[in-house]
Amino acid sequence: MRKAPTILHLDMDAFFASAEQASKPSLRGKAVIVGGLGPRGVVATCSYEARVFGVHSAMPMAQARRLAPNAAYLVPRFGFYRSISEQVMGLLRALSPLVEPLSLDEAFVDLEAGGAAWDEASARLAGGKLRADIRAVTGLTGSVGLAASKMLAKIASEQAKPDGLVLIEPGTERALLGPMSVRTLPGVGPATGDHLRRAGITTVGEIAEAGEDELVRLLGNAHGHALYAMALAHDDRPVVAERETKSVSVEDTYDVDIHDRIRVGLEVQRLADRCVRRLRGAGLSGRTIVLKVRRYDFSTLTRSETLRGPTDDPAVVREAAARLLESVDTTGGVRLLGVGVSGLADYTQEDLFAQAAGEHAESEVEEPSPGEPAEAQSAPVERRWPAGHDVRHAGYGHGWVQGSGLGRVTVRFETPDSEPGRVRTFRVDDPELEPADALPLVPLLPLVPRRPEESEASNEPEASNEPEASDGPGVPEEPVVTPVQASSVPASLPKSRSGSEGGGATSRP
């Protein structure tokens, strides 16, 4: 008996970048790139307008700047994205009790478990309503894949990008998978893909033709059996509502290698405090403290120490991390540091494993904004203005940082429901300018279903040559403001599989 296509996979379209465009009217329809803006930064997400220039997720930021020099480059606002994600996940949980989040912008849903769908027609209706509800609540778009298994639902949502819905009908799975690259299957990364290619296997159909015994010989027992089953479209993995957290960790990459041993030690202490805050925020404790150090030559060292029982005491974690650091040679310079806690538990044996004498008082260290260069705790506080982050001026109201440098900060004053705003420049220490919380997005009307012939239309996005916001100095105080269209994402875009959020052919119900 064929299974109904009631497993849904939702993937929000260019989530971080789309959220920034919805939040900033002047960036709608423009190339937007979100990520670390330092010399070693990488692209977290980019808008579809930026992908036209070849930019994709995980690309070095320096390369993205060469490809799209006029794009808007913004530092991530994870708190803002998390608030939108919570709204989206709430809509998913209204459909079914079995929701498996994979990240802030991606999740599986078992529609049948919630009674939301039981066959092809009801699954398509549920997927279409979900897309409309997401747009109505957040103003953003998401792509939906529907199939009889998690693997196929994820493939379907990738085909649906951007802003579409694809349902894989039962009985068509083998024909669909056959010509696809082996990298399409879960668990096939670059190394496995190269190994299969050397054996003359490049497509999913060729995996099926090779046979199970050959796959086991090439990849080993467990991996070979699993891969062969998936090539035959067999995937029995259930949607799991709660994914167990295995570790909690934080890390920072530095624009300039750190050579000062004292500074390295202070950074480790700061990271330990941040890690404990995350640990306590999740209501967890852990037994194993892990230190990660990436040195100047890109060699990465990991050291760990296991305590006699779980702890969430910041002093204990700081001291363990400091001891681990003593065994690492950092004389050549350090480019990345990280502190983590694993062996998690949902309880703590208070003070039993405290290794510092006397009472342990938690250090009240403020966590820096995401993407902001880490500062030593003993250094004087310097006002920094990350590009894209929200600010408020006593005289001009709410705005966002368009760029900063040479003692100046340039701000564009606009809100999600305003017209594109004007730009003004201030001193970085202007007392009337202060950081602000992000404003909520403006909900949009639900999607109007398109006629079938409209879904085949292909409108290539036009590349904009207008200068965009940058993170450096020299941003003009009063740039020309160009009216933008209401729709920021074109109906159809060129196929791309680059990065984790690559676009694909659009298919709509």
Side-chain angles (χ1 to χ4, degrees):
M1 180 177 178
R2 292 175 177 175
K3 293 183 179 179
T6 55
I7 302 299
L8 180 148
H9 181 259
L10 170 72
D11 195 354
M12 299 294 290
D13 298 322
F15 182 49
F16 296 172
S18 295
E20 296 294 350
Q21 288 176 318
S23 177
K24 301 171 170 63
S26 60
L27 298 185
R28 292 170 191 169
K30 307 292 181 66
V32 175
I33 298 172
V34 180
L37 302 189
R40 294 170 178 165
V42 296
V43 176
T45 309
C46 60
S47 68
Y48 287 98
E49 294 83 358
R51 296 177 193 193
V52 173
F53 298 100
V55 181
H56 59 78
S57 300
M59 172 182 283
M61 192 62 74
Q63 183 180 356
R65 289 186 184 277
R66 289 192 295 269
L67 294 172
N70 295 329
Y73 289 85
L74 308 177
V75 173
R77 297 185 293 163
F78 289 109
F80 176 54
Y81 309 145
R82 191 172 293 110
S83 67
I84 301 173
S85 175
E86 289 172 355
Q87 292 179 298
V88 173
M89 295 301 167
L91 294 173
L92 298 183
R93 293 187 178 97
L95 288 174
S96 171
L98 292 184
V99 176
E100 182 177 339
L102 304 178
S103 62
L104 290 177
D105 63 334
E106 187 179 1
F108 286 111
V109 183
D110 188 331
L111 297 176
E112 188 173 14
W118 50 92
D119 58 12
E120 295 176 38
S122 58
R124 193 182 292 276
L125 285 173
K129 183 178 184 302
L130 173 65
R131 292 177 58 232
D133 289 345
I134 289 172
R135 185 175 176 86
V137 170
T138 69
L140 304 180
T141 63
S143 296
V144 167
L146 292 159
S149 68
K150 291 167 69 172
M151 175 187 72
L152 292 167
K154 185 172 176 61
I155 290 172
S157 69
E158 188 69 20
Q159 291 186 323
K161 282 186 167 294
D163 190 16
L165 181 152
V166 166
L167 183 149
I168 298 178
E169 297 181 1
T172 67
E173 298 92 345
R174 291 283 301 275
L176 174 75
L177 286 173
M180 291 184 173
S181 166
V182 295
R183 292 288 303 277
T184 304
L185 300 180
V188 181
T192 302
D194 287 344
H195 191 52
L196 291 172
R197 180 182 53 79
R198 288 193 295 270
I201 300 173
T202 59
T203 68
V204 176
E206 289 170 345
I207 289 179
E209 292 173 3
E212 189 169 17
D213 291 342
E214 178 66 8
L215 266 293
V216 169
R217 186 185 69 81
L218 289 171
L219 304 175
N221 192 53
H223 200 183
H225 286 300
L227 201 59
Y228 181 72
M230 288 185 176
L232 299 181
H234 298 159
D235 178 19
D236 297 327
R237 294 174 300 163
V239 176
V240 181
E242 296 295 334
R243 296 169 64 92
E244 182 182 358
T245 302
K246 296 182 179 180
S247 65
V248 174
S249 63
V250 296
E251 63 181 42
D252 274 332
T253 301
Y254 305 98
D255 293 341
V256 179
D257 290 348
I258 302 176
H259 293 83
D260 184 353
R261 183 74 176 187
I262 295 178
R263 169 78 187 282
V264 172
L266 289 172
E267 288 297 319
V268 168
Q269 300 292 292
R270 183 182 62 80
L271 290 167
D273 286 332
R274 282 176 56 192
C275 184
V276 168
R277 281 197 296 274
R278 287 193 181 183
L279 197 67
R280 289 187 167 183
L284 298 169
S285 60
R287 297 182 65 233
T288 302
I289 315 302
V290 181
L291 175 70
K292 178 180 177 181
V293 180
R294 181 166 297 150
R295 299 189 291 190
Y296 69 98
D297 59 357
F298 287 91
S299 62
T300 302
L301 304 177
T302 302
R303 300 287 185 268
S304 64
E305 175 181 321
T306 299
L307 308 175
R308 289 174 293 169
T311 184
D312 66 351
D313 189 316
V316 174
V317 177
R318 282 197 302 266
E319 290 177 6
R323 285 194 300 274
L324 294 171
L325 180 61
E326 292 174 359
S327 65
V328 178
D329 180 11
T330 62
T331 53
V334 171
R335 59 187 296 123
L336 176 146
L337 289 169
V339 174
V341 177
S342 61
L344 301 181
D346 57 2
Y347 65 93
T348 307
Q349 295 178 346
E350 296 182 12
D351 295 333
L352 181 58
F353 309 108
Q355 297 160 16
E359 181 180 358
H360 296 305
E362 181 176 1
S363 175
E364 298 292 336
V365 181
E366 184 177 357
E367 185 169 354
S369 301
E372 189 176 331
E375 297 293 320
Q377 294 181 22
S378 59
V381 177
E382 178 183 350
R383 299 186 78 187
R384 294 183 179 273
W385 305 99
H389 283 222
D390 298 87
V391 295
R392 176 167 293 279
H393 188 273
Y396 296 104
H398 189 93
W400 57 277
V401 176
Q402 185 164 298
S404 64
L406 298 179
R408 297 186 304 158
V409 55
T410 302
V411 178
R412 187 182 288 272
F413 290 98
E414 60 186 7
T415 61
D417 58 348
S418 74
E419 294 296 321
R422 297 183 67 83
V423 174
R424 299 188 181 278
T425 299
F426 309 92
R427 299 190 317 274
V428 294
D429 58 352
D430 190 313
E432 294 190 315
L433 188 68
E434 61 182 8
D437 293 330
L439 298 178
L441 298 182
V442 179
L444 301 182
L445 293 175
L447 290 170
V448 177
R450 299 188 177 207
R451 295 190 300 273
E453 61 269 19
E454 291 180 327
S455 67
E456 301 300 325
S458 177
N459 299 313
E460 299 292 333
E462 296 182 1
S464 171
N465 292 321
E466 294 185 55
E468 297 291 345
S470 70
D471 63 315
V475 181
E477 293 190 19
E478 300 291 342
V480 176
V481 176
T482 304
V484 297
Q485 300 296 322
S487 176
S488 63
V489 179
S492 181
L493 287 146
K495 291 183 180 180
S496 171
R497 296 299 177 202
S498 299
S500 62
E501 295 189 58
T506 302
S507 177
R508 295 182 177 82

